[in-house]
């Protein structure tokens, strides 16, 4: 860690109140709840083991009682860990909080051991018997939960095989993932500028790519490349190992395509994903058109990879916390008073932690916590207009999580593809409001450019990352272990079509795949971002067309949480993600934003 700076902002004093969960790190109720959860889990096992997987399946009433039990005890079991996680995120340098987090996690695992049998027994029930239970009216509330559990059924191995794989994964896949994380977080990158060399962390050197000064961006790009090249042998080996491990896993579990396990978890078909990616790729001209505009705005002869994140104007207005609070609240209120009321509670009841604090986790998130309490938001507010968008983003998650509480703990979470729906939608509402509130042409253009660039990062870049990942898995399959240069060639080949002649990719850029954690943590994670963003842009279009009629349907969609597959829930809004032309709606909106930016630039 570099030297620590004590920062402050207009959000000083805006800290969350976690009393809804527990009172303090040493609250005796934490141990009481963990003990109670353990006893309930043991009783659950005593009551139901051997009674789920029976001839003809259990009776609907027995299964219903078991599910209600499971739901209650899962919440009881997770509540202390959720609290510890939030406490820790707010101050990671407090050892007492770290210790509580470790303790609640360990105890959670011990409790969980008593309930694992339930899933296994449920999955083993023959299909016709299980189908009858899934369709039973008494079990309607848990239908999708039951259905989803069984979706992986064809890919489960025998119990002893599963146990062995699970056990060996600790020293196999999981060990390589940890080695990757620890390597990347301890890597240093030399920033050589003005005759001095500074050693920076990954996060710090990446931040320098956003610097208004081109020579600093150039130095940052060179430093990033140098740091990555210094570690290329180890990182390449980790990539090779994990890609091969994924292949073995797919073979053992009878998945034909390396993307199939992810599609299954996302409740989406390969056809839909391919249609989404092809549609995005047909709009590369939009990306290039924007980068040509950016080059002109930056007054450069050529735009290089290290210029992509440069701010279009160095100076930007600031926005203090009270003003941000007002802007975001008004945006949600104007959309729907009901949404506004929920958002207001986040501020008034102190469900948000926004101040800068030594040891606080960077970035932002909204935790759904547990349905019997309410969500909590963490962010680091630094008075930038960007932070206003982050606040709107996290409140979108918070609204989604708050509204879906009645669906219950087992079904409130959505798959990745729709997880970012409410957050990005909320951002769009606030973005429109900001454009109205900041009429100064350069500010408006800067806001629009940053929105376009965010859209590109979540749509086109993620499709490029997915294409690269596909080609890497294929090449590893066909050619065996790959060299850094071989993978770098695949990376450049995946990147070129999007950048075209609008962005010059330097030689150093070739190894910038080496630090992307998504490839390591969750193979084929990236397309879900593109799905979510284009879905929201289409929803924004629908809202524009339908006006007030759209609002109750949208809120109902949020309230349904993960109680059905995304395409089913979205179907109720008249959105058909299986229609290959569907993605054009969002892509055209992005294109329209680029045209608008060009117009604004002409007026300057
Ligand atoms: Zn988010």
């Amino acid at each position: 860690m570099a030297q620590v700076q004590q920062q402050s902002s207009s959000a000083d004093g805006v800290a969350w109140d976690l009393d809804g969960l527990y009172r303090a790190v040493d609250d005796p109720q934490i141990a009481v709840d963990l003990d109670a959860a353990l006893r309930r889990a043991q009783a659950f096992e005593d009551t139901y083991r051997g009674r789920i997987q029976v001839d003809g399946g259990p009776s609907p009433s027995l299964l219903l009682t078991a599910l209600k039990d499971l739901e209650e005890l899962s919440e009881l079991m997770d509540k202390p860990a959720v609290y510890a996680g939030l406490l820790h995120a707010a101050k990671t340098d407090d050892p007492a909080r770290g210790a509580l987090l470790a303790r609640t996690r360990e105890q959670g695992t011990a409790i969980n051991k008593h309930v694992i049998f339930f899933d296994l027994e449920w999955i083993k029930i023959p299909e016709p018997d299980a189908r009858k239970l899934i369709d039973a009216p008494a079990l309607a509330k848990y239908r999708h939960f039951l259905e989803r559990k069984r979706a992986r059924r064809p890919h489960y191995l025998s119990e002893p095989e599963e146990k062995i794989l699970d056990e060996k994964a600790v020293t196999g896949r999981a060990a390589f993932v940890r080695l990757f994380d620890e390597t990347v977080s301890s890597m240093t990158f030399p920033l050589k500028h003005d005759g001095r060399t500074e050693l920076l962390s990954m996060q710090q050197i990446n931040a320098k790519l956003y610097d208004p000064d081109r020579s600093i961006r150039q130095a940052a790009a060179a430093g990033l490349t140098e740091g990555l090249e210094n570690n290329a042998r180890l990182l390449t080996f980790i990539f090779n190992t994990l890609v091969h491990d994924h292949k073995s896993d797919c073979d053992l579990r009878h998945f034909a395509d390396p993307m199939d396990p992810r599609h299954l978890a996302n409740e989406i078909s390969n056809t839909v994903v391919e249609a989404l990616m092809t549609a995005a790729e047909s709009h590369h001209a939009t990306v290039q058109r924007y980068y040509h505009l950016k080059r002109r705005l930056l007054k450069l002869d050529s735009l290089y990879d290290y210029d992509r994140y440069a701010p279009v104007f160095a100076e930007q207005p600031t926005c203090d916390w009270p003003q941000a609070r007002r802007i975001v609240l008004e945006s949600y209120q104007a959309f729907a008073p009901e949404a506004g009321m929920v958002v207001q509670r986040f501020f008034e009841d102190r469900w948000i932690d926004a101040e800068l604090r030594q040891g606080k986790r960077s970035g932002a998130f909204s935790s759904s916590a547990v349905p019997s309490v309410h969500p909590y938001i963490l962010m680091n507010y630094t008075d930038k207009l960007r932070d206003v968008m982050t606040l709107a983003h996290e409140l979108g998650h918070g609204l989604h999580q708050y509204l879906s509480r009645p669906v219950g703990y087992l079904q409130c979470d959505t798959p990745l593809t729709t997880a970012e729906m409410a957050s990005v939608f909320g951002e769009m509402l606030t973005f429109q409001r900001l454009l109205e509130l900041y009429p100064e042409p350069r500010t408006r253009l800067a806001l629009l450019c940053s929105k376009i660039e965010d859209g590109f990062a979540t749509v086109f870049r993620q499709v490029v990352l997915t294409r690269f990942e596909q080609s890497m898995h294929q090449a590893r399959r066909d050619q065996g272990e790959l060299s850094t240069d071989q993978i770098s060639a695949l990376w450049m080949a995946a990147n070129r079509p999007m950048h075209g002649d609008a962005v010059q990719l330097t030689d150093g850029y070739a190894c910038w795949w080496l630090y992307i954690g998504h490839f390591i943590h969750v193979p084929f994670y990236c397309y879900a971002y593109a799905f979510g963003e284009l879905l929201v842009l289409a929803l924004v279009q629908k809202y524009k067309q339908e006006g007030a009629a759209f609002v109750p349907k949208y809120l109902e969609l949020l309230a349904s949480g993960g109680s059905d597959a995304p395409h089913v829930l979205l179907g109720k809004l008249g959105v058909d993600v299986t229609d290959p032309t569907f993605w054009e709606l969002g892509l055209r909106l992005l294109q329209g934003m680029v045209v608008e930016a060009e117009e604004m630039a002409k007026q300057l």
Side-chain angles (χ1 to χ4, degrees):
M1 266 306 194
Q3 80 277 26
V4 189
Q5 283 173 302
Q6 189 60 49
Q7 289 175 292
S8 78
S9 83
S10 63
D12 281 359
V14 181
W16 56 26
D17 172 6
L18 298 177
D19 279 2
L21 291 161
Y22 296 99
R23 294 190 183 284
V25 70
D26 54 358
D27 187 341
Q29 190 62 37
I30 296 173
V32 172
D33 282 357
L34 283 169
D35 283 346
L38 179 61
R39 278 198 311 276
R40 282 196 70 163
Q42 285 163 338
F44 182 82
E45 187 173 24
D46 291 343
T47 313
Y48 299 109
R49 189 185 262 285
R51 291 181 68 195
I52 305 298
Q53 191 200 347
V54 291
D55 278 346
S59 71
S61 64
L62 179 113
L63 189 56
L64 180 65
T65 323
L67 285 163
K68 281 185 179 162
D69 253 10
L70 180 67
E71 188 155 46
E72 280 176 27
L73 87 86
S74 304
E75 201 177 322
L76 191 61
M77 165 176 88
D78 291 348
K79 196 175 154 191
V82 165
Y83 177 68
L86 295 175
L87 268 189
H88 179 69
K91 207 156 171 37
T92 56
D93 54 2
D94 177 358
R97 298 178 181 211
L100 179 68
L101 183 62
R103 197 164 68 240
T104 54
R105 281 200 181 145
E106 282 158 21
Q107 294 192 23
T109 313
I111 298 167
N112 201 38
K113 271 211 311 239
H114 296 285
V115 301
I116 285 174
F117 78 92
F118 181 83
D119 281 5
L120 292 174
E121 287 201 26
W122 166 245
I123 285 162
K124 283 192 206 137
I125 296 174
E127 192 55 29
D129 298 333
R131 197 68 245 173
K132 261 187 262 162
L133 286 161
I134 290 168
D135 293 336
L139 291 161
K141 187 187 169 193
Y142 297 101
R143 184 184 52 76
H144 193 57
F145 174 79
L146 292 170
E147 217 166 41
R148 277 202 79 180
K149 287 274 173 215
R150 288 181 65 88
R152 277 187 68 85
R153 189 171 185 245
H155 309 287
Y156 267 111
L157 307 176
S158 70
E159 199 169 335
E161 287 170 322
E162 287 291 346
K163 276 189 176 156
I164 293 170
L165 285 180
D166 209 39
E167 186 102 25
K168 297 304 283 180
V170 178
T171 45
R173 183 185 150 72
F176 279 97
V177 172
R178 186 169 150 195
L179 180 61
F180 175 85
D181 286 344
E182 291 187 0
T183 304
V184 169
S185 64
S186 64
M187 266 156 61
T188 53
F189 301 87
L191 183 76
K192 295 172 191 163
H193 195 254
D194 268 352
R196 288 186 310 148
T197 303
E198 240 185 308
L199 281 183
L200 301 182
S201 71
M202 166 74 72
Q203 210 181 348
Q204 289 167 323
I205 196 118
N206 260 316
K208 300 282 182 201
L209 290 171
Y210 293 78
D211 201 284
D213 181 343
R214 193 184 208 192
S215 67
I216 292 183
R217 295 198 303 271
Q218 264 171 329
L224 181 59
T225 300
E226 192 179 327
L228 290 172
E229 278 173 351
N230 289 340
N231 292 274
R233 194 194 60 80
L234 174 60
L235 293 174
T236 303
F237 182 71
I238 297 174
F239 267 82
N240 269 294
T241 305
L242 287 175
V243 169
H244 189 59
D245 180 75
H246 187 71
K247 180 193 180 291
S248 318
D249 221 52
C250 287
D251 290 349
L252 287 168
R253 296 187 182 281
H254 315 292
F255 285 109
D257 187 284
M259 287 176 92
D260 285 347
R262 181 84 338 244
H263 294 335
L264 186 67
N266 285 344
E267 303 181 69
I268 200 173
S269 76
N270 174 48
T271 331
V272 170
V273 175
E274 191 51 45
L276 153 74
M277 297 209 293
T278 314
E281 285 164 333
S282 74
H283 278 258
H284 280 158
T286 303
V287 182
Q288 293 159 22
R289 193 168 163 179
Y290 173 75
Y291 280 127
H292 281 302
L293 171 67
K294 182 148 190 177
R295 177 180 57 74
R296 292 196 299 272
L297 287 169
L298 295 173
K299 301 189 171 62
L300 297 172
D301 291 334
S302 300
L303 193 81
Y304 286 90
D305 47 65
Y306 50 76
D307 295 319
R308 289 172 303 160
Y309 306 121
V312 285
F313 306 114
E315 301 266 300
Q316 274 299 296
T318 57
C319 180
D320 65 17
W321 176 259
Q323 202 182 349
R325 174 180 166 156
R326 199 168 53 244
I327 293 169
V328 175
L329 180 59
E330 280 170 7
S331 319
Y332 279 98
Q333 272 166 343
F335 174 69
E338 195 185 339
M341 259 149 60
V342 176
V343 166
Q344 191 154 14
R345 291 201 66 188
F346 276 84
F347 292 109
E348 282 180 0
D349 298 345
R350 297 176 52 209
W351 300 350
I352 305 176
D353 198 80
E355 68 178 2
L356 306 174
R357 184 184 307 122
Q358 176 104 49
K360 182 172 169 175
R361 221 193 89 168
S362 62
F365 65 78
S366 179
S367 160
S368 54
V370 285
S372 58
V373 185
H374 54 75
Y376 281 102
I377 288 173
L378 176 140
M379 68 173 298
N380 291 273
Y381 195 81
T382 61
D383 295 343
K384 296 201 179 88
L385 281 184
R386 236 202 131 69
D387 298 324
V388 185
M389 299 297 282
T390 305
L391 178 63
H393 180 102
E394 298 311 330
L395 279 165
H397 282 307
L399 176 68
H400 197 175
Q401 291 159 344
Y402 184 85
L403 293 177
S404 66
R405 291 182 315 148
V407 168
Y409 196 48
L410 298 181
Q411 297 191 121
C412 54
D413 290 339
T414 61
L416 294 177
T417 43
T418 44
E420 293 297 332
M421 183 171 62
S423 53
V424 181
F425 192 84
E427 263 189 67
M428 281 306 271
L429 297 176
T430 298
F431 172 65
Q432 300 297 344
R433 188 112 193 126
L434 281 175
L435 283 185
E436 289 161 21
L437 292 169
Y438 289 85
E440 206 276 310
R442 289 163 74 89
T443 308
R444 286 169 57 88
L445 179 56
L447 274 168
L448 185 59
C449 287
S450 83
K451 193 83 198 115
I452 291 170
E453 288 178 22
D454 285 350
F456 285 3
T458 28
V459 177
F460 301 108
R461 176 170 159 86
Q462 303 303 323
V463 171
V464 166
L465 296 183
T466 306
R467 287 295 187 213
F468 163 68
E469 210 176 356
Q470 282 180 316
S471 67
M472 182 170 52
H473 281 260
Q474 189 61 48
R476 179 70 181 82
R477 226 166 242 250
D478 296 343
Q479 302 162 39
E481 190 156 315
L482 304 167
S483 68
T484 307
D485 287 347
Q486 278 174 305
I487 305 181
S488 294
L490 298 173
W491 170 251
M492 291 304 260
N495 269 277
R496 272 191 207 102
M498 176 177 101
H499 294 101
D501 66 350
V503 182
Q504 311 300 316
L505 299 175
T506 55
D507 292 344
Y509 183 75
C511 68
W512 285 22
W513 52 273
L514 279 164
Y515 70 95
I516 302 176
H518 283 321
F519 301 145
I520 300 293
H521 296 129
V522 187
F524 299 104
Y525 186 104
C526 296
Y527 73 77
Y529 286 117
F531 183 104
E533 177 85 13
L534 288 177
L535 169 64
V536 169
L537 293 176
L539 290 179
V540 169
Q541 294 280 58
K542 271 196 109 53
Y543 174 44
K544 277 188 189 159
Q545 288 158 7
E546 297 175 15
F550 172 85
V551 176
K553 288 187 286 182
Y554 175 75
L555 292 176
E556 202 181 309
L557 171 68
L558 297 194
S560 15
S563 61
D564 215 328
H567 67 272
V568 178
L569 296 175
L570 289 163
K572 293 180 188 164
L573 265 84
V575 166
D576 182 7
V577 293
T578 64
D579 175 359
T581 63
F582 167 75
W583 308 105
E584 278 295 317
L585 280 173
L587 288 162
R588 293 235 175 88
L589 197 130
L590 274 175
Q591 190 180 37
M593 286 162 73
V594 172
V595 174
E596 200 185 332
E598 285 175 344
E599 290 305 315
M600 276 191 196
K602 276 187 213 153
Q603 316 284 321
L604 285 182

